[in-house]
Structure formats: C-alpha cells, structure tokens
Amino acid sequence: MNLPHSVRLVEVGPRDGLQNEKQPISVADKVRLVDDLSAAGLLYIEVGSFVSPKWVPQMAGSAEVFSGIQRRPGITYAALTPNLKGFEAALEAKVEEVAVFAAASETFSQKNINCSIADSLQRFVPLLEAAKAAKVRVRGYVSCVLGCPYDGDVAPQQVAAVARELHAMGCYEVSLGDTIGTGTAGKTRALLDVVSRDVPRERLAGHFHDTYGQALANIYASLLEGISVFDSSVAGLGGCPYAKGATGNVASEDVLYLLQGLGIDTGVDMDRLIAAGQRICQVLGKANGSRVARARLSH
C-alpha cells in the first residue's frame, strides 16, 4: 500500500468555516483563531475572503484580519478572491496567495455565481494575469465534483474539463470539492482516475464535506490514489447550506487523527489544534463538530 509520507492540511476554518455563521464575529476573534492555528503547526491557512460584504457579511473585515495576525515564517496565509477587484484588495492587504473557484455543474454555477462555467473561467483570466505579474500564487477550487444539489450526479469528465482549464490558466493546485458530501470512496477513486489524466496527482487536492459521514473514507481513498493535500476546517466549522441540519466541512482534528494513525506526517500538534477549535466554538456558542475533539475533551 503506497501512502504519502507526508500530507499538507489546508485549514479553511477562518474562511469557509466562519462564512456561514449567522452571528457577527469580531476581527479580534478571527485574528485569535488564525494565530491559534498557526501555533498548532498548520502550514496553510485560508484567512478570509475578499468578496462583497453584501453577499458574504462574515468576510467583511478580512483586510483587518490580515493586518492583525502574527505571520509566522513558513506558513501561507491565503484568501479567496472571486474576481480582479477582490484580488487587488487582497494584494493591498499583503496576501501572499489567493484562491479562485469554479463549479463542475452548470446549474450550480448559475445559481451560485450567476454565470455559466465558461463565463466564470473567463472572469479569472485578468486575475491570473495580475497574479502572475505580482508573483502571487493562485489555487483553484472546483465545487460539486461528486454531486450537485440541482443536477444530481456530475460526470467525472466534466470535472476533469474544469480542473484542466484552471490548471492550464495558471492555478498551481486544484482542489476538488464534494460540496454536498454525497461522494463515496469508490466514486472518489474513479473521479481521481479520470481527473489525473489531465492534471497531475501532485497538483490535486481533496475538499470533502461530511454530510453523509463519508469524508474520512473519501480522504483515505484519495490517499490510496496518491493525493497528499486535503482541505479541512477546525472543529468542523461550516455547515452545508444544501442539506438542512447536516454537517459541512470535515473536521481538521478528525483528519489529523486518521493521518496520525496511518503514520503520515503533517507537522500539526493535536492538542493545540483541539484547543483552537474549542476556543472558537466557545466564542460562537456552539458544540464542537469534531468527534476526536469531543472524545478527547470528555476524558
């Protein structure tokens, strides 16, 4: 069994995790969360998003968060930037890496960002050109890779086509997102087999939601396929807006426990990670979404 020797965890809690919260979260609490995650040893943290506060109120103040965090050497502090305007704002905030997102489903693309997949990709061209000129790396996301809330099953070839475009445009890495969490291990391996014909496996990452309780199984399946980068969210922050009451992002603590059990190095300290998750959950007044954290804290 050829598993990766090390895995990079992309911590999306401060962005993807907090953006769905209803209550306002202060800049100070967001800064504390990022600093706690840095102290836990995570080497890639998605800090915020430069989008219109009208659409994503929780991401207002991302520039202030970037100016308030203690940047540690060797850690990438990234932001989501949906368009050139967002990229320019990120550049002003001294963001060193950005991410763009597209969908593998036409209906999801229309309902989520009001344009076709082809049009969404075209919007990224000036952003990627500006990023190249500014020597800022760009990561790509593809959503709905294992199912769409509107279209149902999504063909792996369609996912591959979008991933191929993002990679060709200059995204150094493409994260494949199971947005509604309906994927299974078998479908995950089949998807990666198809997509990796167009984008090298070392340029692919997995972003699995745990709506149906399959996220860890899908991560393990991805490991078997040679994938060594996974997105996760501390304390499982971030609900799934398409499945009422369901969980969304897989918890970073749970992924770390899986990887530690397999002898795979991440450089992340479990105790500090659990403490970071517990602290932000107390701020939010909600239960910790990580099974591992709950088990450890109950002892």
Side-chain angles (χ1 to χ4, degrees):
M1 183 169 61
N2 295 319
L3 293 172
H5 295 295
S6 64
V7 157
R8 173 162 56 90
L9 290 181
V10 172
E11 175 55 57
V12 300
R15 198 277 301 174
D16 199 19
L18 295 182
Q19 71 178 12
N20 286 327
E21 292 295 327
K22 297 290 186 283
Q23 69 182 78
I25 306 161
S26 71
V27 167
D29 283 327
K30 292 176 185 175
V31 168
R32 176 63 187 268
L33 174 60
V34 174
D35 287 346
D36 284 349
L37 294 168
S38 294
L42 286 148
L43 297 180
Y44 192 112
I45 303 170
E46 205 171 64
V47 174
S49 178
F50 288 86
V51 296
S52 168
K54 177 184 173 185
W55 301 114
V56 191
Q58 288 294 15
M59 290 298 102
S62 284
E64 288 87 345
V65 177
F66 270 98
S67 67
I69 60 176
Q70 289 183 291
R71 302 192 192 214
R72 297 187 179 213
I75 299 179
T76 298
Y77 299 96
L80 190 71
T81 54
N83 50 40
L84 184 59
K85 184 180 177 184
F87 174 76
E88 289 168 347
L91 210 57
E92 204 171 302
K94 296 182 173 60
V95 176
E96 56 216 49
E97 187 169 311
V98 300
V100 297
F101 62 92
S105 153
E106 281 292 352
T107 307
F108 186 87
S109 186
Q110 290 286 357
K111 288 184 179 287
N112 194 38
I113 52 178
N114 301 311
C115 68
S116 68
I117 295 171
D119 287 343
S120 73
L121 292 169
Q122 277 303 114
R123 288 180 184 177
F124 299 146
V125 172
L127 189 160
L128 280 148
E129 288 173 350
K132 187 177 181 181
K135 294 183 171 58
V136 171
R137 297 209 306 170
V138 183
R139 190 172 191 255
Y141 283 106
V142 184
S143 57
C144 297
V145 301
L146 287 163
C148 168
Y150 312 108
D151 294 339
D153 290 341
V154 175
Q157 291 76 11
Q158 176 65 25
V159 179
V162 178
R164 181 175 64 242
E165 282 293 316
L166 287 171
H167 187 244
M169 290 164 77
C171 292
Y172 77 93
E173 184 172 275
V174 180
S175 177
L176 305 176
D178 182 13
T179 309
I180 55 174
T182 56
T184 58
K187 286 186 176 180
T188 296
R189 296 193 74 170
L191 173 71
L192 291 169
D193 179 58
V194 172
V195 177
S196 63
R197 295 171 200 168
D198 290 304
V199 181
R201 290 169 198 258
E202 62 269 20
R203 298 291 184 186
L204 294 173
H207 183 114
F208 296 102
H209 282 215
D210 205 33
T211 315
Y212 282 72
Q214 300 300 300
L216 291 178
N218 292 336
I219 288 171
Y220 184 66
S222 301
L223 289 167
L224 293 175
E225 290 293 326
I227 305 303
S228 60
V229 181
F230 297 97
D231 304 350
S232 61
S233 179
V234 65
L237 293 175
C240 182
Y242 312 104
K244 193 174 181 183
T247 54
N249 290 307
V250 65
S252 301
E253 299 91 330
D254 298 359
V255 179
L256 180 58
Y257 187 77
L258 169 70
L259 297 173
Q260 286 179 340
L262 293 168
I264 296 173
D265 180 49
T266 61
V268 180
D269 183 302
M270 179 67 87
D271 291 334
R272 288 191 169 193
L273 183 60
I274 289 173
Q278 195 60 7
R279 186 174 287 115
I280 190 62
C281 285
Q282 287 168 355
V283 168
L284 297 171
K286 65 190 298 182
N288 196 312
S290 161
R291 290 181 177 86
V292 169
R294 292 200 303 267
R296 290 279 185 94
L297 293 166
S298 68
H299 287 167

